[in-house]
Amino acid sequence: MENLSPKQCLQCGNPLVGRADKKFCDAYCRNSYNNQHKAAEEQYIMMVNSQIRRNRRILKDLCPEGKSTVRKEVLDRLGYDYRYFSSIFKSQFGPYYLVYDYGFSPMTDDRGIKKAIIIQRQDYMDEPSFNIWKKS
């Protein structure tokens, strides 16, 4: 015998109207439910990707002309997280930590002030000169 009690939304518990296989009352409930039930590693990936996007936005905002220099305190105040970047470009002056198409190289000036040289990615940076298996 078929269960005649109305089905309820898995997220909010409201009665469902419509298709027999419906599980959620609307897209908001479906998205909320799925976000809450994602595996821990998926949530970690989402957090890392979110921080990488934030880092890129910060670098882009600070580098409207393709190259700029800012104090480390500015990056810190804007919430830049130095642990997250997408690649490393080794230049003759030191490494650039790239976040997609923007990057920075840390430096300390002759007065001991920590700064970041921010650059926009250039085509020559795509050359396959970086090899993690090659010892420096």
Side-chain angles (χ1 to χ4, degrees), residues 56-70 74-75 78 101-103 116-122:
R56 181 194 178 273
R57 187 173 52 252
I58 291 168
L59 293 178
K60 181 180 178 188
D61 290 347
L62 293 173
C63 186
E65 301 294 322
K67 184 175 182 180
S68 66
T69 303
V70 298
V74 173
L75 292 171
L78 293 172
D101 55 341
Y102 287 88
I117 301 171
I118 301 172
I119 51 101
Q120 189 170 9
R121 188 195 64 76
Q122 303 295 312

Side-chain angles (χ1 to χ4, degrees), residues 38-100:
K38 283 186 178 176
E41 67 264 9
E42 286 293 320
Q43 291 178 355
Y44 178 74
I45 290 169
M46 287 174 45
M47 182 278 300
V48 169
N49 288 339
S50 176
Q51 186 60 54
I52 288 176
R53 284 191 302 274
R54 169 188 266 162
N55 284 351
R56 181 194 178 273
R57 187 173 52 252
I58 291 168
L59 293 178
K60 181 180 178 188
D61 290 347
L62 293 173
C63 186
E65 301 294 322
K67 184 175 182 180
S68 66
T69 303
V70 298
R71 288 180 177 227
K72 179 184 179 295
E73 294 88 35
V74 173
L75 292 171
D76 294 341
R77 188 178 42 221
L78 293 172
Y80 194 92
D81 192 329
Y82 303 95
R83 297 174 296 173
Y84 302 109
F85 50 90
S86 57
S87 62
I88 300 172
F89 173 74
K90 290 186 177 182
S91 78
Q92 61 185 2
F93 305 108
Y96 279 90
Y97 298 93
L98 298 173
V99 184
Y100 303 121

Side-chain angles (χ1 to χ4, degrees), residues 1-52:
M1 181 167 202
E2 190 176 317
N3 184 2
L4 298 177
S5 63
K7 290 179 79 173
Q8 295 179 326
C9 174
L10 294 176
Q11 178 64 21
C12 69
N14 287 338
L16 295 176
V17 178
R19 297 185 351 216
D21 63 343
K22 194 171 183 179
K23 296 179 182 179
F24 305 99
C25 57
D26 59 24
Y28 177 80
C29 279
R30 183 186 69 242
N31 289 333
S32 295
Y33 179 88
N34 288 330
N35 285 338
Q36 288 173 359
H37 290 85
K38 283 186 178 176
E41 67 264 9
E42 286 293 320
Q43 291 178 355
Y44 178 74
I45 290 169
M46 287 174 45
M47 182 278 300
V48 169
N49 288 339
S50 176
Q51 186 60 54
I52 288 176

